[in-house]
Amino acid sequence: MTASEPILAGFYPDPSICRVGDTYYLVSSSFEYLPGIPIHVSTDLVTWTLVGNALTRESQIAEHRGYPSAGIFAPTIRHHNGTFWIIGTNVNDIPLGRGHFLIHTSDPAGPWSDPVHIAGAIGIDPDIVWDDDDIAHVTWCSLNPEQPGIQSAPIDTTTGALLAPPRQLWQGSGLAFPEGPHLYRIADWWYLLLAEGGTERGHAATIARARTLDGPFEAAPHNPFLTHRSLAHPVQNTGHADLIELADGTWAAAHLGVRPRGQTPGFHVNGRESFLVGIDWIDGWPVVDETRFAVPPVDRSFADHFAGSDLHPRWLGVGRFPASFTRPRTGGGLLIDADAGEGRALIAARATDLVWTASAQFTAEAGTGRFLLLIDDRNWYGLTYDGSTVEATLAVGPIEHSVGRHDIPAGVVPTLRIRAIPAPVLPHGVSLEPDLIELAVIVEGAERVFGAFDGRYLSTEVTGGFTGRVFGVQALTGQIELREIHYAPTAESASTA
């Protein structure tokens, strides 16, 4: 059976992986959300724990602003001479002329250093590798029209200065959008791995090799060596891979993919996720084995009463750190202040399962809040509570539409609930939607369901972009007190229409 279960479910795209001894470390793109660059740790490659984020303070990311699908693109993590390094791109820096950023630490759980910017390297998807003389080389997808394609240059990791002019490496196999380069020194070869074909259904991973960094790079005869394009496979958009040698000397690759559902063209809702495949080296080239790793079921449920002084690393803000608009309350709970600085006062977490239930409780004596599921700032379904009434609203592009209101008795704190439930199966065995999103309020044990709404409008195929769904609580006006948020997967079963 081929791999169809992600090692990281939910929007954890563009995985990059490294190993130290028997422990593996994986980072992902975070785009407009802060803290940025989540870091997962594993000792078996199939079960992973979120231990922190690399970008956790303002001094590390001066220009952000929360534009949808902007922010942090495709970081690479490597370990060299006792130090962990992450190189990444903040695309909001590009108009300012700042290149990729480089941070380091001795402990991947953090804290990580303030960034060094690499002047003269304008582009996305950077990689870092050290040669036999211990010189660091940065490779990236250039956005400089005078130096197009995949560029590489040696750098000073202390200052970020290029030590030689950038040179063009292999430009791919001929598919669209060659990007996501990773450069490896393996045996007597330099291997250059690329993502090609765009990050949609044509996505693929290709590879080439050369004896020296001066090239020429020779393409693998079986490119693309990883892709699901034009296949009837439950995982699509596979690509953007990173190779890793295991502690036992065998090899694997982490890569992104999506799990589309519903009628053609299929709709993926939780974003691009991280998957794992085995790698065999045959005649000096990587060959994928999708049957090697069995990913066990994972219970991703949680209940957070916000009782401590520090937020769990799952919690995100849009273009700002949650600490800039939240404050823990004595005895538990979290104060969210809509007027604390610029930007949305939204604390959110990734949706990670195909069907799930999330609920929230907050008080609204001094403001108005909303519990919502969103894919960006224009596409969301939510429940707004102002202390006396709960209103269910759907936002699709420029349209916001109320689908019901329910009065709340004085002195009662309602439970707001959002569920992703299976879509009905038609007689010919197909569901039109990827899922349905049910909005409900529970008051003193009585449930009021406002309806179950088409999940396609909260999918990447409809909204565009590079992220996935998140859910959370936003202060719209004044201050609200968040008491708790619960999340749990639910049984996947569908009704027959």
Side-chain angles (χ1 to χ4, degrees), residues 91-174:
V91 298
N92 296 319
D93 280 337
I94 292 175
L96 305 177
R98 283 199 292 260
H100 313 296
F101 63 86
L102 186 64
I103 57 177
H104 66 275
T105 189
S106 59
D107 181 358
W112 288 74
S113 70
D114 282 346
V116 169
H117 290 274
I118 304 171
I122 304 299
I124 59 173
D125 301 359
D127 173 83
I128 188 168
V129 67
W130 284 260
D131 64 20
D132 295 337
D133 296 320
D134 207 36
I135 297 173
H137 295 258
V138 168
T139 304
W140 69 96
C141 174
S142 175
L143 298 181
N144 184 346
E146 297 180 359
Q147 295 176 319
I150 305 300
Q151 300 284 318
S152 187
I155 68 159
D156 182 333
T157 57
T158 302
T159 65
L162 300 185
L163 302 179
R167 60 181 174 273
Q168 202 177 72
L169 303 182
W170 181 57
Q171 299 311 297
S173 66

Side-chain angles (χ1 to χ4, degrees), residues 17 78 127 129-130 181-186 189-193 207 210 213 217 241-244 251 281:
I17 189 170
R78 295 293 183 256
D127 173 83
V129 67
W130 284 260
H182 288 303
L183 193 60
Y184 313 91
R185 181 67 163 156
I186 303 174
W189 294 95
W190 284 99
Y191 287 87
L192 178 60
L193 187 156
I207 198 165
L213 286 177
F217 278 83
D242 196 8
L243 298 172
I244 183 68
W251 287 74
W281 289 91

Side-chain angles (χ1 to χ4, degrees), residues 166-319:
R167 60 181 174 273
Q168 202 177 72
L169 303 182
W170 181 57
Q171 299 311 297
S173 66
L175 299 177
F177 307 116
E179 57 190 6
H182 288 303
L183 193 60
Y184 313 91
R185 181 67 163 156
I186 303 174
D188 295 327
W189 294 95
W190 284 99
Y191 287 87
L192 178 60
L193 187 156
L194 299 184
E196 292 192 63
T199 195
E200 297 81 32
R201 295 296 189 266
H203 209 202
T206 59
I207 198 165
R209 68 185 183 186
R211 290 295 186 184
T212 71
L213 286 177
D214 293 326
F217 278 83
E218 163 201 5
H222 61 298
N223 275 330
F225 76 95
L226 170 64
T227 188
H228 286 172
R229 60 184 186 176
S230 301
L231 298 179
H233 194 284
V235 179
Q236 290 293 317
N237 302 25
T238 53
H240 206 113
D242 196 8
L243 298 172
I244 183 68
E245 184 178 10
L246 279 57
D248 64 3
T250 60
W251 287 74
H255 67 89
L256 69 78
V258 305
R259 293 181 287 172
R261 295 173 293 163
Q263 69 174 352
T264 186
F267 302 88
H268 75 279
V269 299
N270 285 350
R272 299 172 300 159
E273 304 173 301
S274 291
F275 293 81
L276 184 74
V277 294
I279 295 290
D280 293 317
W281 289 91
I282 299 176
D283 297 328
W285 295 109
V287 175
V288 168
D289 177 0
E290 295 201 43
T291 66
R292 184 168 304 171
F293 296 100
V295 180
V298 176
D299 181 3
R300 291 179 281 265
S301 61
F302 68 85
D304 201 329
H305 296 84
F306 305 97
S309 59
D310 296 324
L311 289 174
H312 190 281
R314 73 169 67 91
W315 294 115
L316 307 169
V318 180

Side-chain angles (χ1 to χ4, degrees), residues 7 10 33 53 70 108 118 154 193-194 226 258 274 308 346 356 401 432 474:
I7 55 172
Y33 293 98
N53 297 276
I118 304 171
L193 187 156
L194 299 184
L226 170 64
V258 305
S274 291
L346 167 66
W356 50 266
H401 180 64
L432 298 180
Q474 179 179 358

